[in-house]
Amino acid sequence: MSWYRAHPVRASLALILTALLLLDQLFPPPIPRDEPGMVVVARDGTPLRAWPDADGVWRFPVTPEKVSAKYLDALLTYEDRWFYWHPGVNPMALGRAAWQWLRHGEIVSGGSTLSMQVARALEPVPRSLQGKLKQIARALQL
């Protein structure tokens, strides 16, 4: 206890970090159980035949290296231009969206990051304050 008294801020941060790591282990994000669509490819990787997933959505597995860098730049610019600079949640975007909602009485723009969109896709939550908070927690976890 003497270390805690000598360094209360460090000790508190260590306890918070330990609690967050424990919660992360106790409540992992859900793993998608849906069977992905199937793509049959030739030896050289050329697609021969494809089938949609159980929901009728066509999904083609691809790595970032196989996608145009311009497409990825456009995606990040449009959806989450601060993607590389936040921990999964952009407080400025959430604040802007909340301010617009309060000012106009309706949702004018969203504040979700790509990580928050992935969290919502993995675990759909109601569109409510409680649902948004759960989405934020999952995005930080991701």
Side-chain angles (χ1 to χ4, degrees):
M1 276 314 245
S2 63
W3 185 82
Y4 181 81
R5 287 190 193 115
H7 305 282
V9 173
R10 289 181 188 172
S12 297
L13 289 174
L15 285 173
I16 290 170
L17 180 60
T18 302
L20 289 173
L21 291 173
L22 181 62
L23 287 171
D24 181 53
Q25 293 299 311
L26 290 174
F27 302 102
I31 297 172
R33 288 176 292 221
D34 296 337
E35 289 294 319
M38 184 168 49
V39 179
V40 176
V41 295
R43 285 185 186 157
D44 65 355
T46 307
L48 297 174
R49 175 81 164 92
W51 289 268
D53 67 8
D55 294 328
V57 177
W58 293 88
R59 300 183 191 277
F60 295 94
V62 66
T63 61
E65 296 78 30
K66 292 186 177 183
V67 178
S68 167
K70 291 179 182 179
Y71 172 77
L72 294 175
D73 287 343
L75 176 69
L76 288 176
T77 300
Y78 184 76
E79 289 290 337
D80 190 358
R81 67 180 141 177
W82 304 108
F83 179 77
Y84 293 111
W85 305 106
H86 61 69
V89 175
N90 185 341
M92 297 299 286
L94 286 174
R96 175 191 38 79
W99 171 251
Q100 290 174 341
W101 176 49
L102 289 171
R103 188 167 180 226
H104 297 281
E106 62 183 2
I107 296 173
V108 176
S109 66
S112 293
T113 62
L114 283 173
S115 301
M116 291 171 71
Q117 292 175 36
V118 169
R120 184 173 56 236
L122 286 174
E123 187 176 18
V125 293
R127 291 191 178 264
S128 64
L129 183 58
Q130 183 180 0
K132 185 58 82 172
L133 291 173
K134 187 170 185 178
Q135 190 183 75
I136 289 169
R138 286 291 188 206
L140 290 170
Q141 190 178 26
L142 291 172

XYZ file of all heavy atoms in Angstrom, residues 78-141:
517
model
N -13.764 9.277 -46.895
C -15.215 9.438 -46.831
C -15.790 8.967 -45.491
O -16.631 9.628 -44.903
C -15.876 8.683 -47.984
C -17.367 8.878 -48.044
C -17.912 10.058 -48.528
C -18.228 7.884 -47.596
C -19.282 10.241 -48.571
C -19.602 8.060 -47.638
C -20.126 9.240 -48.120
O -21.481 9.424 -48.153
N -15.349 7.814 -45.029
C -15.956 7.193 -43.849
C -15.311 7.592 -42.524
O -15.993 7.702 -41.517
C -15.906 5.662 -43.973
C -16.829 5.106 -45.013
C -18.297 5.222 -44.635
O -18.612 5.331 -43.435
O -19.121 5.204 -45.545
N -13.987 7.772 -42.516
C -13.299 7.984 -41.233
C -11.910 8.557 -41.488
O -10.901 7.866 -41.362
C -13.205 6.648 -40.493
C -12.729 6.772 -39.065
O -12.432 7.897 -38.627
O -12.652 5.737 -38.388
N -11.861 9.833 -41.814
C -10.574 10.425 -42.203
C -9.565 10.459 -41.073
O -8.379 10.611 -41.299
C -10.766 11.805 -42.794
C -11.250 12.821 -41.821
C -11.406 14.151 -42.465
N -12.605 14.764 -41.912
C -13.015 15.961 -42.211
N -12.372 16.659 -43.083
N -14.089 16.441 -41.667
N -9.986 10.317 -39.812
C -9.065 10.309 -38.681
C -8.778 8.881 -38.205
O -8.325 8.686 -37.083
C -9.629 11.144 -37.531
C -9.937 12.549 -37.930
C -11.166 13.102 -38.111
C -8.992 13.568 -38.255
N -11.052 14.402 -38.513
C -9.723 14.723 -38.615
C -7.602 13.621 -38.287
C -9.112 15.900 -38.981
C -6.997 14.800 -38.657
C -7.741 15.923 -38.995
N -9.016 7.889 -39.064
C -8.886 6.478 -38.707
C -7.555 6.152 -38.023
O -7.518 5.421 -37.036
C -9.047 5.617 -39.967
C -8.907 4.143 -39.723
C -9.936 3.426 -39.149
C -7.744 3.472 -40.067
C -9.821 2.063 -38.920
C -7.618 2.108 -39.844
C -8.654 1.408 -39.270
N -6.456 6.684 -38.533
C -5.137 6.359 -37.994
C -4.797 7.179 -36.747
O -3.743 6.978 -36.151
C -4.061 6.582 -39.055
C -4.179 5.613 -40.208
C -4.567 6.042 -41.467
C -3.912 4.259 -40.035
C -4.691 5.150 -42.521
C -4.030 3.357 -41.075
C -4.417 3.813 -42.318
O -4.533 2.925 -43.356
N -5.672 8.093 -36.343
C -5.339 9.012 -35.262
C -6.237 8.868 -34.038
O -6.118 9.649 -33.103
C -5.385 10.453 -35.777
C -4.498 10.617 -36.961
C -4.892 10.742 -38.259
C -3.078 10.622 -36.981
N -3.809 10.831 -39.087
C -2.673 10.763 -38.332
C -2.104 10.511 -36.004
C -1.347 10.798 -38.714
C -0.768 10.547 -36.394
C -0.410 10.697 -37.724
N -7.161 7.943 -34.037
C -8.004 7.751 -32.854
C -7.994 6.280 -32.451
O -7.633 5.422 -33.245
C -9.434 8.260 -33.093
C -10.165 7.579 -34.202
N -10.568 6.264 -34.132
C -10.555 8.012 -35.414
C -11.177 5.925 -35.238
N -11.184 6.970 -36.038
N -8.404 5.976 -31.215
C -8.349 4.593 -30.725
C -9.563 3.735 -31.094
O -9.795 2.703 -30.486
C -8.270 4.787 -29.210
C -9.043 6.027 -28.965
C -8.750 6.916 -30.151
N -10.342 4.159 -32.077
C -11.541 3.423 -32.463
C -12.783 4.272 -32.310
O -13.836 3.973 -32.863
N -12.668 5.342 -31.541
C -13.765 6.278 -31.321
C -13.194 7.682 -31.497
O -12.136 7.987 -30.964
C -14.341 6.120 -29.890
C -15.392 7.167 -29.612
C -14.900 4.728 -29.704
N -13.890 8.505 -32.268
C -13.452 9.876 -32.494
C -14.325 10.799 -31.646
O -15.465 11.095 -32.015
C -13.568 10.229 -33.976
C -13.027 11.599 -34.289
O -12.879 12.439 -33.419
N -12.730 11.828 -35.564
N -13.809 11.264 -30.497
C -14.640 12.087 -29.615
C -15.108 13.381 -30.280
O -16.218 13.850 -30.004
C -13.739 12.382 -28.414
C -12.452 11.703 -28.650
C -12.488 11.037 -29.968
N -14.302 13.948 -31.159
C -14.698 15.188 -31.833
C -15.904 14.938 -32.746
O -16.836 15.739 -32.784
C -13.523 15.762 -32.635
C -12.340 16.155 -31.771
S -12.737 17.421 -30.569
C -12.829 18.830 -31.626
N -15.879 13.835 -33.493
C -16.994 13.514 -34.394
C -18.262 13.206 -33.590
O -19.358 13.622 -33.971
C -16.628 12.332 -35.288
N -18.113 12.491 -32.471
C -19.276 12.200 -31.627
C -19.835 13.486 -31.031
O -21.053 13.669 -30.972
C -18.908 11.227 -30.516
C -18.712 9.775 -30.932
C -18.218 8.953 -29.751
C -19.992 9.193 -31.480
N -18.952 14.379 -30.602
C -19.391 15.659 -30.057
C -20.116 16.501 -31.092
O -21.163 17.095 -30.800
N -19.578 16.544 -32.314
C -20.215 17.284 -33.403
C -21.598 16.720 -33.700
O -22.582 17.466 -33.804
C -19.356 17.233 -34.669
C -20.005 17.878 -35.886
C -19.263 17.584 -37.191
N -18.724 16.245 -37.323
C -19.426 15.161 -37.653
N -20.732 15.248 -37.850
N -18.846 13.995 -37.780
N -21.693 15.397 -33.802
C -22.974 14.762 -34.105
C -23.981 15.004 -32.970
O -25.159 15.271 -33.232
C -22.775 13.265 -34.331
N -23.524 14.933 -31.721
C -24.421 15.176 -30.582
C -24.906 16.626 -30.574
O -26.083 16.890 -30.342
C -23.699 14.843 -29.273
N -23.994 17.553 -30.854
C -24.366 18.971 -30.894
C -25.414 19.229 -31.987
O -26.406 19.915 -31.764
C -23.138 19.845 -31.113
C -23.471 21.276 -31.372
C -23.349 21.943 -32.547
C -24.026 22.215 -30.457
N -23.784 23.238 -32.428
C -24.205 23.431 -31.137
C -24.395 22.149 -29.117
C -24.742 24.558 -30.538
C -24.919 23.282 -28.518
C -25.083 24.464 -29.219
N -25.197 18.648 -33.167
C -26.154 18.825 -34.267
C -27.507 18.211 -33.902
O -28.548 18.785 -34.215
C -25.608 18.192 -35.550
C -24.446 18.949 -36.129
C -23.823 18.224 -37.314
O -24.018 17.025 -37.507
N -23.050 18.951 -38.105
N -27.481 17.080 -33.245
C -28.718 16.408 -32.834
C -29.485 17.282 -31.838
O -30.694 17.472 -31.954
C -28.366 15.049 -32.244
C -29.515 14.272 -31.690
C -30.710 14.019 -32.288
C -29.573 13.642 -30.412
N -31.506 13.247 -31.467
C -30.830 13.006 -30.307
C -28.681 13.523 -29.357
C -31.205 12.287 -29.191
C -29.058 12.796 -28.250
C -30.313 12.196 -28.166
N -28.755 17.827 -30.846
C -29.400 18.697 -29.859
C -29.913 19.987 -30.499
O -30.998 20.466 -30.185
C -28.415 19.035 -28.739
C -28.067 17.884 -27.793
C -26.919 18.287 -26.878
C -29.276 17.465 -26.988
N -29.154 20.550 -31.397
C -29.499 21.829 -32.019
C -30.695 21.720 -32.964
O -31.561 22.582 -32.998
C -28.280 22.355 -32.768
C -28.460 23.749 -33.298
C -27.132 24.304 -33.742
N -27.330 25.647 -34.254
C -26.821 26.089 -35.369
N -26.038 25.308 -36.090
N -27.039 27.309 -35.771
N -30.723 20.627 -33.751
C -31.759 20.474 -34.774
C -32.913 19.563 -34.345
O -33.926 19.479 -35.038
C -31.150 19.941 -36.073
C -30.146 20.870 -36.673
N -30.500 21.987 -37.392
C -28.791 20.859 -36.653
C -29.413 22.619 -37.795
N -28.365 21.951 -37.343
N -32.734 18.839 -33.248
C -33.789 17.950 -32.786
C -33.896 16.659 -33.578
O -34.835 15.891 -33.390
N -32.950 16.431 -34.461
C -32.909 15.188 -35.236
C -31.460 14.911 -35.618
O -30.615 15.799 -35.574
C -33.776 15.298 -36.496
C -33.312 16.365 -37.460
C -34.232 16.510 -38.666
O -35.241 15.814 -38.723
O -33.910 17.320 -39.528
N -31.202 13.681 -36.020
C -29.841 13.312 -36.406
C -29.528 13.933 -37.760
O -30.211 13.666 -38.752
C -29.675 11.780 -36.432
C -29.874 11.223 -35.028
C -28.310 11.402 -36.976
C -29.892 9.715 -34.950
N -28.508 14.779 -37.776
C -28.095 15.453 -39.002
C -26.942 14.695 -39.644
O -26.913 14.486 -40.848
C -27.681 16.919 -38.706
C -27.154 17.599 -39.951
C -28.851 17.686 -38.131
N -25.975 14.284 -38.832
C -24.853 13.499 -39.336
C -24.402 12.553 -38.233
O -24.673 12.774 -37.060
C -23.700 14.410 -39.767
O -23.148 15.076 -38.654
N -23.718 11.531 -38.637
C -23.261 10.531 -37.680
C -21.865 10.829 -37.182
O -21.137 11.625 -37.752
N -21.498 10.170 -36.106
C -20.164 10.324 -35.549
C -19.433 9.004 -35.465
O -18.405 8.908 -34.819
N -19.976 7.977 -36.127
C -19.369 6.648 -36.049
C -18.094 6.563 -36.863
O -18.002 7.085 -37.966
C -20.343 5.587 -36.544
O -21.435 5.472 -35.682
N -17.124 5.869 -36.293
C -15.879 5.580 -36.993
C -16.029 4.232 -37.697
O -17.021 3.519 -37.497
C -14.721 5.492 -35.993
O -14.986 4.414 -35.089
C -14.540 6.792 -35.219
N -15.051 3.863 -38.487
C -15.088 2.535 -39.121
C -15.110 1.438 -38.057
O -15.811 0.435 -38.203
C -13.891 2.354 -40.051
C -13.983 3.069 -41.384
C -12.676 2.957 -42.149
C -15.120 2.535 -42.219
N -14.361 1.630 -36.984
C -14.349 0.636 -35.904
C -15.725 0.505 -35.272
O -16.167 -0.597 -34.937
C -13.330 1.026 -34.834
O -12.045 1.113 -35.396
N -16.430 1.619 -35.119
C -17.781 1.571 -34.555
C -18.740 0.883 -35.520
O -19.650 0.169 -35.096
C -18.251 2.980 -34.218
C -17.487 3.598 -33.050
S -17.829 5.334 -32.800
C -19.502 5.253 -32.187
N -18.544 1.078 -36.815
C -19.393 0.413 -37.803
C -19.155 -1.093 -37.785
O -20.099 -1.882 -37.909
C -19.134 0.996 -39.188
C -19.592 2.435 -39.321
C -19.213 3.042 -40.653
O -19.215 2.375 -41.674
N -18.895 4.325 -40.634
N -17.898 -1.498 -37.612
C -17.590 -2.927 -37.506
C -18.234 -3.492 -36.239
O -18.823 -4.573 -36.262
C -16.064 -3.170 -37.509
C -15.734 -4.605 -37.131
C -15.478 -2.832 -38.867
N -18.135 -2.752 -35.133
C -18.759 -3.196 -33.877
C -20.255 -3.381 -34.058
O -20.831 -4.359 -33.573
C -18.466 -2.186 -32.764
N -20.903 -2.450 -34.770
C -22.348 -2.548 -35.001
C -22.669 -3.742 -35.898
O -23.680 -4.426 -35.706
C -22.875 -1.258 -35.623
C -24.377 -1.254 -35.791
C -24.942 0.078 -36.246
N -24.341 0.537 -37.471
C -23.730 1.722 -37.613
N -23.646 2.556 -36.610
N -23.206 2.062 -38.764
N -21.810 -4.022 -36.878
C -22.046 -5.170 -37.765
C -21.863 -6.495 -37.009
O -22.596 -7.452 -37.245
C -21.107 -5.109 -38.963
N -20.877 -6.538 -36.107
C -20.636 -7.756 -35.341
C -21.732 -8.023 -34.317
O -22.091 -9.163 -34.056
C -19.296 -7.664 -34.603
C -18.041 -7.802 -35.432
C -16.815 -7.537 -34.574
C -17.962 -9.176 -36.075
N -22.227 -6.952 -33.720
C -23.196 -7.086 -32.646
C -24.216 -5.952 -32.757
O -24.050 -4.901 -32.140
C -22.461 -7.019 -31.311
C -23.280 -7.309 -30.115
C -22.426 -7.320 -28.852
O -21.310 -6.795 -28.848
O -22.926 -7.867 -27.872
N -25.256 -6.148 -33.563
C -26.248 -5.080 -33.729
C -26.866 -4.678 -32.390
O -27.206 -5.520 -31.568
C -27.300 -5.702 -34.646
C -26.577 -6.807 -35.351
C -25.564 -7.320 -34.372
N -26.951 -3.376 -32.186
C -27.539 -2.828 -30.962
C -28.627 -1.841 -31.358
O -28.610 -1.295 -32.457
C -26.477 -2.128 -30.079
C -25.489 -3.126 -29.519
C -25.766 -1.044 -30.844
N -29.591 -1.596 -30.467
C -30.648 -0.628 -30.782
C -30.044 0.774 -30.965
O -29.033 1.112 -30.368
C -31.558 -0.656 -29.560
C -31.082 -1.732 -28.676
C -29.761 -2.199 -29.160
N -30.701 1.576 -31.787
C -30.249 2.952 -31.989
C -30.752 3.796 -30.824
O -31.794 4.440 -30.901
C -30.743 3.491 -33.316
C -30.064 2.808 -34.478
C -30.356 3.527 -35.772
N -29.654 2.896 -36.858
C -28.486 3.291 -37.324
N -27.898 4.339 -36.807
N -27.910 2.661 -38.318
N -29.991 3.741 -29.740
C -30.313 4.475 -28.521
C -28.995 4.895 -27.886
O -27.921 4.478 -28.325
C -31.099 3.589 -27.555
O -30.297 2.497 -27.138
N -29.080 5.696 -26.844
C -27.867 6.123 -26.154
C -27.147 4.917 -25.558
O -25.925 4.797 -25.668
C -28.202 7.150 -25.061
C -27.014 7.728 -24.318
C -26.040 8.405 -25.279
C -27.477 8.713 -23.266
N -27.895 4.001 -24.967
C -27.295 2.797 -24.395
C -26.640 1.942 -25.489
O -25.549 1.428 -25.304
C -28.345 1.981 -23.651
C -27.777 0.752 -22.969
C -28.840 -0.046 -22.232
O -30.006 0.318 -22.221
N -28.443 -1.132 -21.618
N -27.308 1.820 -26.636
C -26.737 1.065 -27.749
C -25.465 1.707 -28.269
O -24.487 1.025 -28.575
N -25.462 3.039 -28.354
C -24.278 3.762 -28.828
C -23.120 3.585 -27.850
O -21.972 3.410 -28.266
C -24.605 5.242 -29.019
C -23.475 6.053 -29.609
C -23.008 5.556 -30.960
C -23.865 6.031 -32.081
N -23.325 5.704 -33.418
N -23.407 3.595 -26.546
C -22.351 3.397 -25.556
C -21.753 1.993 -25.658
O -20.541 1.819 -25.534
C -22.888 3.656 -24.144
C -23.237 5.113 -23.834
C -23.911 5.214 -22.471
C -22.015 6.010 -23.930
N -22.599 1.013 -25.908
C -22.096 -0.361 -26.078
C -21.251 -0.443 -27.352
O -20.198 -1.088 -27.363
C -23.262 -1.344 -26.146
C -22.821 -2.774 -26.145
C -23.980 -3.731 -25.971
C -23.465 -5.150 -25.864
N -24.541 -6.105 -25.654
N -21.700 0.230 -28.391
C -20.946 0.270 -29.653
C -19.574 0.926 -29.438
O -18.567 0.455 -29.954
C -21.756 1.040 -30.678
C -21.240 0.980 -32.081
C -22.119 1.848 -32.966
O -22.026 3.070 -32.920
N -22.957 1.218 -33.748
N -19.549 1.994 -28.670
C -18.297 2.684 -28.365
C -17.344 1.755 -27.605
O -16.150 1.663 -27.920
C -18.566 3.981 -27.570
C -19.202 5.021 -28.482
C -17.303 4.514 -26.924
C -19.738 6.238 -27.757
N -17.881 1.038 -26.621
C -17.052 0.113 -25.841
C -16.465 -0.978 -26.746
O -15.282 -1.308 -26.638
C -17.867 -0.510 -24.709
N -17.275 -1.532 -27.629
C -16.781 -2.573 -28.540
C -15.744 -2.008 -29.510
O -14.752 -2.667 -29.812
C -17.932 -3.195 -29.326
C -18.796 -4.101 -28.534
C -18.055 -5.369 -28.164
N -18.996 -6.311 -27.560
C -18.649 -7.243 -26.715
N -17.397 -7.383 -26.365
N -19.541 -8.052 -26.208
N -15.975 -0.794 -29.997
C -14.999 -0.181 -30.923
C -13.660 0.023 -30.222
O -12.598 -0.224 -30.824
C -15.543 1.145 -31.459
N -13.685 0.464 -28.991
C -12.428 0.618 -28.242
C -11.778 -0.733 -28.018
O -10.557 -0.862 -28.078
C -12.701 1.314 -26.905
C -13.083 2.787 -26.997
C -13.563 3.297 -25.647
C -11.922 3.619 -27.515
N -12.600 -1.739 -27.794
C -12.081 -3.087 -27.599
C -11.412 -3.600 -28.873
O -10.359 -4.223 -28.820
C -13.221 -4.007 -27.185
C -12.798 -5.368 -26.734
C -13.987 -6.202 -26.284
O -15.110 -5.987 -26.731
N -13.744 -7.135 -25.404
